[in-house]
Structures are given as C-alpha cells and as structure tokens.
Amino acid sequence: MNGGVHRSGAAIAEFGEPPARNRVHSEPVTGAKIDLIDALMRTQRMLSSQLSAAFTPFGVSWAGYEIMQLLVRFDRSPVSILAMARHLERHWTSIAHTLNGLERAGHVIRYRNPAYRRENLVELTDAGHEAWIRAGEALAETAALCSSDADSAAALLAGLGSVERALRTIR
C-alpha cells in the first residue's frame, strides 16, 4: 500500500512493531472506575450547559470568560496571544478563534505589538471588564448550586485534582 499504511515483514523487521499507545492496563475498566468516568462526563455536560446559559446574555463563552479572567489577572495590561496560550494551556489558534468573538462583541481589542511587530497583543476593554464582572456574578450563582458547603467543595476539588494529575501522566 502507499504511504506506509501497510506494514510488510521487511518494514516490521527494520522498524519493529508499532508501540502500544497509552496502554496502562490490559484489562477493561469496570465497576467504580467506569462509574466515576461516567459521572464526571455527565456532570461536565450539565455544568457546560448551565454555564452556557449563564454566560450567553453577556456575549461570553467559558473560553472567553477564561481569557477575560486572565486579562484581569494581568491588571488589564496587554498580553500576547502566545502568553495566553501558555497560561491557559490551549493552542494559540483556539485562543485566536475565541478572541475573534470577544473582539466582535467589543470585549477586547487586539493590535500589533509596536516593539515586536510579529506579535499581537490583547487588552480588555471597559465594556469587556463590565461583561466579565456580570459573567462572574452569573458564574457565582451557578457555582452556588454545585455544592452545599465549602468543606464539600474543597474535598471534591482535592479529589478532582488527583484525577487530573493521574491523567496528565498518561500523555
């Protein structure tokens, strides 16, 4: 076959068998582990739906809110798209796509860095700051529905942190 799709005996002898990808366990995942994954996925879908409904009136998505939050953390100083991508652990093209919507809504401005013309900088506008405040209030209302008390929220966050750390080792 073309393009190296077919692995002939000679190719296997020369290059070896392809490596197993992310194989941690050979047995299927069952019981509590699959229940945990199922619960996390269902919860994520429900939370995503709630956040979308909460943010829509302000012209903001979750990704847009994250960018606006980052710009506020930087004291509303200009931030490069690549710096945003690093901080948010997203590909720069995803950041740029989200910025397109925020820019159309008047929440951010994007311009070429005068000191380094190959770099674009982003700033939060006054309207964007106001939308960030309103979206944050909506987020707080949604978060209040998620947990009955601070101790439960802290325990859940600690548990999710251990799941996240375990998943990062698989990459």
Side-chain angles (χ1 to χ4, degrees), residues 81-170:
I81 293 173
L82 291 178
M84 284 184 199
R86 280 192 303 274
H87 281 282
L88 297 173
E89 297 180 355
R90 306 280 191 284
H91 194 273
W92 70 269
T93 56
S94 297
I95 299 294
H97 178 76
T98 304
L99 285 172
N100 290 340
L102 290 173
E103 201 169 25
R104 277 192 304 273
H107 297 322
V108 298
I109 55 171
R110 185 176 6 188
Y111 56 92
R112 203 170 291 287
N113 184 346
Y116 183 60
R117 297 199 39 83
R118 297 176 75 186
E119 180 177 66
N120 285 312
L121 298 175
V122 180
E123 282 187 61
L124 192 62
T125 64
D126 290 339
H129 189 258
E130 184 65 27
W132 171 77
I133 290 170
R134 299 282 183 251
E137 291 167 351
L139 176 60
E141 289 175 19
T142 302
L145 301 173
C146 293
S147 180
S148 58
D149 60 70
D151 290 339
S152 296
L156 179 59
L157 186 58
L160 289 174
S162 67
V163 170
E164 181 182 3
R165 285 187 297 279
L167 289 172
R168 286 182 185 273
T169 63
I170 296 174

Side-chain angles (χ1 to χ4, degrees), residues 35-80:
D35 290 344
L36 173 64
I37 292 168
D38 183 52
L40 287 172
M41 296 304 290
R42 277 186 287 112
T43 303
Q44 185 276 332
R45 284 191 300 272
M46 292 184 328
L47 184 58
S48 180
S49 175
Q50 290 290 326
L51 289 175
S52 180
F55 286 163
T56 297
F58 312 106
V60 178
S61 64
W62 174 253
Y65 183 78
E66 284 183 306
I67 287 173
M68 294 165 76
Q69 178 76 23
L70 182 67
L71 291 169
V72 168
R73 283 187 193 154
F74 279 95
D75 294 325
R76 297 179 61 186
S77 299
V79 179
S80 75

